[in-house]
Amino acid sequence: MCAIFAFAAPEAAAQLAVPGDISVPADQKMLLAADEVIYNNDSGVVVASGGVQIDYGGYQLVADRVEYDQQTGRVKASGSVEMIEPGGNRIYADNLDVTDNFSDGFLNALRIETPDNTRIAAESAERSGGTMTTFNSGVYTACEPCADNPERAPFWQVKAQRVIQNGETKTIRMEKATFELFGMPIAYLPYLEIPDHSAKRKTGFLTPSVSSSDTFGYGLTVPYYLVLSPYMDATFTGTGYTKQGFLGEAEFRRNFSNGEVTLRMAGISQRSPGDFEARTTDRLETERGMIATKGEFRINPRWIFGWDAMLQSDNNFSRTYGIEGYNASTVKSEVYLTGLSNRSFFDLRAYRFDIQNAQDLNDVLERRQAAVHPSLDYKRTFSDVAGGELSLDVNGYSLSRKADDTRVRAGLATTNPLFADRYRGFAGSNARLSTELEWKRTFTTMNGLRLTPILAARGDLNSVDVDNAPADYDGVFAGNGSHARGMVTAGLEASYPVLVTTATSSHVIEPIAQVFVRPDERLAGGIPNEDAQSFVFDATSLFERDKFTGFDRAEGGIRANVGLRYTGHFDNGFRTQAVFGQSYHLAGLNSFATPDLSQATRNSGLEDDVSDFVGMAGVDYDGFSLAASARFDKDDFRIERTDLRAGLSRGPVTTALTYSEIKAPRPNTFTEDDRREITGLAKLQLHEFWSVAASTSYDLVDEKFNRRAFGILYEDECFAFSFAYEHTRDDGNVNARDWKVGARLSFRTLGGFEQGSVSSPLLEPSF
């Protein structure tokens, strides 16, 4: 039997156990379903009994019996009462007595389940003022009851004489509380206040942590979070070390409608700098500190402006004390402006580098770093230009250094730049602006042959003003001053993809041939090379028109690239791919055979008229992948460079393994030894709640581990525990901590405790 009643609701209804106001329209109707409904005209009482279901203003109520008194405005429910509030709370009680707008009332023998899966149980509760709920003899926990034995105590719970949920402050306060593990009390808490699930931010102390170190002693870190306004907050962190004293940190955050700004500061007056290693910055400095700022603003949907900058009292403070976000060995400070549209990209930025190293040579290392002011990168693509695609690239930079960045010729124990054979950067200034246009169009003939003509033109303008010109250099240095150069290219790519199909698979075999005709590279190796130093010739760069990674070098001469590309697909999901080929210098000056100030082209595999072979092959099937790439010597097929990568992600197992090898060049003029390294990562989900992970990096030449790490994690719906171990080798810094351990115990909604400073993902619970 259903009936519609117009309940008077002059006030905004509020959640019974969820903070915040939920307004119910004044003309809101109530839907009532029950086996029997009795209305007493004399007393104005409506009684519904037998499977009562009420839906009113987002509240849903189920009970055996509901009585509504129109004169007093009270609603009484009894018998297996269950109510779902608009905010998602689910309330169970023996009986309920509230006003018709749910702002005030009483409940007996109740249990509440919130949307974030926390639970409050109490003997009774009282609702007052529409926002305050007081639970008497309450129990708070985030653990689910045991399915086999619901009466058994959960892993953790907080029992309190009173639990007060305040809808205005969005907090849950527990008075005269006892924290229990497995039903055993372990801590008495006169007062405990935590934010409820609806509070996005709340002022208060965060999870403390403890640490220990030979140089710092024992440390206790206590962070305090402060909400300053709806759009501004701060975190103040104090760390007390038994040896070094007090480290103070502060971070302020300010949100705007289109961005945010962060200001971070830290400082310490070291009490015992003598505990650090001799002749290090950590020992020589006493008053230490840093200040950093970071911001990003979206000017409009296409443009973003931002910055990230740090200043510190010495060259290693942030790394020594592990200041979050600024504790890397190299920290880049930059300011940038980027823009992105469907067919264009713009990036303008200025930056510098801070080298964080405790060694006394750090000042020399930092003076070698470039200060870029600024760099520019602009790309735009134009479609349907003479039936093809036209692309425009503009690239440039202006930079300066305070000291030469050179590598001493092998076998010479000297730092005199006159004996250097690798000039990665020069003291002084250097600037370049480049503009390049490329047009290409693909034609497909009747028999499937694909022909792609390519036309390109590029112009560069360089300004060089270095303090010391290279004296012991095999090439010709262009000298200081302004230098202009250009490059035009005409090319043709021909490919003939052949499709082969079987009953269970399809395969595409595609022979590819390219030829590029262009003049010799002007000023080849004669000007500083800043952005084309990371040069690797492999299958990914085989068919590139210009194989250099940057604009400071430009590939010249007539060259042909020939190879074969293959892809295969099988009905069972097995996929394969492969590329193999070779490059040929046909005429003109070979850019890869000319000297380079940074030695980027040495042992590249392209220095002869006939290049080394390069190849790549890979398979992928049902979460398993295997890929291999290599460069083979053109004469004896010796493997010069190898990269093997294997991975598996299936069910509870995730693994990855990488092997890399670079052979020393013949004759040995630059690299003293072969370089071989193997890295691995594995993660295994042992159980619904247990997982383990390990990673390693092993130097096969020195027969030493560069890094070893192991971690174990337990995580269920209410708590998480993790332990991690990490061992790191750093031959360049004798003060590097070679091992460390870390552990964390976290109680969902309450916080937790942390020991150590191991940066393992296993230490981070999902909640």
Side-chain angles (χ1 to χ4, degrees):
M1 182 179 181
C2 297
I4 303 297
F5 290 85
F7 276 11
E11 300 179 8
Q15 294 176 314
L16 187 61
V18 174
D21 294 330
I22 297 180
S23 298
V24 177
D27 59 348
Q28 182 69 43
K29 305 297 182 181
M30 183 197 75
L31 175 64
L32 169 67
D35 293 340
E36 182 181 55
V37 176
I38 300 175
Y39 177 65
N40 190 320
N41 292 319
D42 297 332
S43 62
V45 175
V46 180
V47 178
S49 59
V52 183
Q53 299 180 35
I54 295 177
D55 190 340
Y56 169 61
Y59 291 87
Q60 300 176 35
L61 176 66
V62 176
D64 293 339
R65 174 186 171 90
V66 174
E67 180 178 315
Y68 172 56
D69 191 329
Q70 290 181 315
Q71 295 181 3
T72 62
R74 305 292 295 189
V75 176
K76 297 180 181 180
S78 60
S80 302
V81 179
E82 179 180 349
M83 184 168 68
I84 301 176
E85 299 177 325
N89 274 7
R90 190 178 294 269
I91 301 173
Y92 304 90
D94 288 345
N95 53 72
L96 173 149
D97 182 357
V98 295
T99 57
D100 55 12
N101 60 4
F102 296 98
S103 63
D104 301 276
F106 302 90
L107 296 94
N108 290 322
L110 78 154
R111 176 169 56 91
I112 299 175
E113 296 178 0
T114 63
D116 68 339
N117 209 25
T118 58
R119 295 164 175 82
I120 300 176
E123 293 180 356
S124 62
E126 179 181 350
R127 178 78 166 173
S128 61
T131 59
M132 185 82 70
T133 304
T134 301
F135 303 88
N136 301 310
S137 299
V139 178
Y140 175 87
T141 184
C143 303
E144 294 183 359
C146 177
D148 298 331
N149 186 8
E151 301 300 323
R152 189 174 67 184
F155 174 75
W156 69 265
Q157 63 183 4
V158 180
K159 289 184 176 180
Q161 189 178 85
R162 292 205 311 169
V163 179
I164 302 173
Q165 190 170 36
N166 193 319
E168 294 182 353
T169 61
K170 300 182 185 299
T171 58
I172 298 175
R173 186 172 76 242
M174 289 166 263
E175 299 177 350
K176 297 182 180 181
T178 302
F179 182 78
E180 296 184 355
L181 283 179
F182 298 107
M184 300 295 295
I186 64 171
Y188 173 71
L189 306 170
Y191 172 85
L192 176 64
E193 185 174 276
I194 61 175
D196 70 13
H197 77 278
S198 65
K200 296 181 179 179
R201 303 181 305 157
K202 182 63 182 175
T203 296
F205 288 98
L206 304 179
T207 304
S209 63
V210 295
S211 61
S212 61
S213 168
D214 291 339
T215 54
F216 300 148
Y218 293 100
L220 173 63
T221 301
V222 180
Y224 182 81
Y225 179 75
L226 177 63
V227 177
L228 300 173
S229 72
Y231 43 80
M232 185 164 55
D233 56 22
T235 302
F236 300 94
T237 305
T239 303
Y241 294 109
T242 57
K243 290 186 177 181
Q244 300 304 332
F246 180 79
L247 172 69
E249 300 178 62
E251 184 177 47
F252 298 89
R253 295 167 292 269
R254 173 70 157 87
N255 285 336
F256 299 87
S257 60
N258 63 335
E260 61 181 357
V261 175
T262 301
L263 177 65
R264 190 179 185 92
M265 296 174 288
I268 188 173
S269 178
Q270 293 186 155
R271 191 167 60 188
S272 301
D275 291 330
F276 291 98
E277 188 74 18
R279 298 185 60 191
T280 62
T281 301
D282 297 329
R283 182 163 184 163
L284 297 175
E285 300 290 338
T286 300
E287 307 297 329
R288 311 180 69 183
M290 63 83 70
I291 183 170
T293 177
K294 183 177 182 180
E296 185 171 277
F297 291 89
R298 181 167 291 278
I299 302 173
N300 57 43
R302 294 186 177 183
W303 290 93
I304 296 176
F305 171 75
W307 70 87
D308 189 354
M310 179 193 74
L311 291 174
Q312 56 183 355
S313 58
D314 56 80
N315 55 24
N316 204 46
F317 168 74
S318 297
R319 189 183 188 195
T320 299
Y321 286 93
I323 305 302
E324 184 179 357
Y326 300 94
N327 57 355
S329 59
T330 302
V331 177
K332 182 170 71 170
S333 297
E334 64 179 342
V335 57
Y336 57 89
L337 174 66
T338 62
L340 180 66
S341 67
N342 293 335
R343 289 187 168 270
S344 64
F345 170 75
F346 177 91
D347 184 271
L348 179 68
R349 63 184 62 218
Y351 52 91
R352 66 174 182 84
F353 299 94
D354 285 287
I355 305 299
Q356 299 199 96
N357 191 312
Q359 302 301 314
D360 54 1
L361 292 177
N362 179 268
D363 182 61
V364 176
L365 296 174
E366 196 160 289
R367 287 170 59 86
R368 293 176 178 176
Q369 300 302 309
V372 182
H373 40 73
S375 68
L376 169 67
D377 193 14
Y378 174 73
K379 301 178 184 296
R380 183 171 179 83
T381 302
F382 305 90
S383 60
D384 196 18
V385 177
E389 182 180 86
L390 179 68
S391 61
L392 169 67
D393 280 3
V394 179
N395 182 273
Y397 65 78
S398 173
L399 59 83
S400 60
R401 280 186 179 83
K402 296 180 180 180
D404 290 326
D405 185 5
T406 60
R407 180 186 175 100
V408 177
R409 185 180 294 276
L412 296 179
T414 177
T415 58
N416 190 331
L418 295 178
F419 295 96
D421 71 341
R422 187 179 184 188
Y423 299 87
R424 291 177 289 197
F426 293 88
S429 61
N430 180 31
R432 174 186 51 76
L433 180 63
S434 302
T435 302
E436 183 177 69
L437 283 170
E438 182 190 65
W439 176 88
K440 58 184 178 181
R441 179 181 179 183
T442 299
F443 300 89
T444 303
T445 64
M446 295 294 294
N447 59 1
L449 177 66
R450 293 166 57 89
L451 299 174
T452 304
I454 301 172
L455 299 175
R458 168 179 157 182
D460 304 309
L461 182 62
N462 287 76
S463 176
V464 180
D465 185 12
V466 299
D467 297 344
N468 303 306
D472 189 28
Y473 176 49
D474 296 335
V476 178
F477 182 62
N480 290 335
S482 298
H483 307 283
R485 58 180 181 169
M487 177 65 66
V488 293
T489 303
L492 178 66
E493 176 182 293
S495 64
Y496 193 76
V498 178
L499 175 64
V500 179
T501 59
T502 68
T504 60
S505 63
S506 62
H507 310 266
V508 176
I509 303 172
E510 184 179 14
I512 303 174
Q514 295 176 326
V515 61
F516 296 104
V517 179
R518 52 204 162 196
D520 295 343
E521 179 188 6
R522 292 197 58 200
L523 303 174
I527 56 178
N529 180 3
E530 296 283 353
D531 71 344
Q533 296 185 14
S534 58
F535 179 79
V536 176
F537 174 52
D538 57 17
T540 62
S541 60
L542 172 62
F543 298 110
E544 293 291 332
R545 173 176 57 84
D546 191 329
K547 295 178 175 58
F548 285 109
T549 55
F551 284 82
D552 282 337
R553 293 296 305 271
E555 185 177 341
I558 301 176
R559 178 171 292 274
N561 305 311
V562 178
L564 185 70
R565 187 158 50 202
Y566 161 78
T567 58
H569 296 268
F570 296 81
D571 292 348
N572 61 0
F574 191 85
R575 295 178 296 177
T576 60
Q577 58 179 339
V579 177
F580 189 81
Q582 197 174 28
S583 184
Y584 303 89
H585 179 74
L586 304 179
L589 178 67
N590 187 349
S591 296
F592 305 103
T594 59
D596 183 271
L597 286 164
S598 67
Q599 298 291 0
T601 59
R602 178 174 290 183
N603 193 38
S604 66
L606 291 164
E607 59 271 17
D608 297 326
D609 289 343
V610 179
S611 78
D612 289 345
F613 294 97
V614 292
M616 181 274 294
V619 297
D620 184 0
Y621 174 71
D622 192 23
F624 171 76
S625 62
L626 176 64
S629 62
R631 176 164 65 89
F632 307 90
D633 186 88
K634 66 181 186 305
D635 298 321
D636 57 9
F637 224 64
R638 184 186 83 150
I639 300 179
E640 301 291 341
R641 186 184 183 102
T642 308
D643 290 290
L644 298 175
R645 297 175 300 278
L648 175 64
S649 179
R650 182 185 301 171
V653 180
T654 301
T655 61
L657 184 68
T658 302
Y659 169 79
S660 300
E661 179 179 6
I662 302 176
K663 290 288 187 180
R666 298 177 292 185
N668 191 351
T669 58
F670 187 53
T671 305
E672 290 137 7
D673 298 301
D674 294 347
R675 286 181 286 172
R676 297 194 303 274
E677 183 181 63
I678 185 169
T679 61
L681 170 68
K683 184 175 181 180
L684 176 62
Q685 190 78 29
L686 299 173
H687 182 264
E688 181 182 1
F689 304 128
W690 288 95
S691 61
V692 294
S695 64
T696 184
S697 174
Y698 186 74
D699 191 324
L700 295 169
V701 176
D702 293 343
E703 297 182 347
K704 294 180 180 179
F705 283 95
N706 293 327
R707 184 179 182 273
R708 288 173 289 177
F710 169 81
I712 184 169
L713 171 68
Y714 175 88
E715 180 180 1
D716 60 22
E717 82 285 350
C718 68
F719 91 102
F721 170 77
S722 59
F723 173 83
Y725 164 84
E726 181 179 344
H727 181 280
T728 305
R729 167 193 171 198
D730 189 351
D731 291 338
N733 183 0
V734 297
N735 301 298
R737 300 175 186 173
D738 55 351
W739 67 271
K740 52 186 176 180
V741 296
R744 173 177 290 180
L745 177 63
S746 300
F747 302 100
R748 188 169 69 86
T749 73
L750 289 185
F753 306 92
E754 180 179 350
Q755 162 68 41
S757 57
V758 180
S759 57
S760 170
L762 281 174
L763 288 178
E764 299 295 336
S766 60
F767 52 75

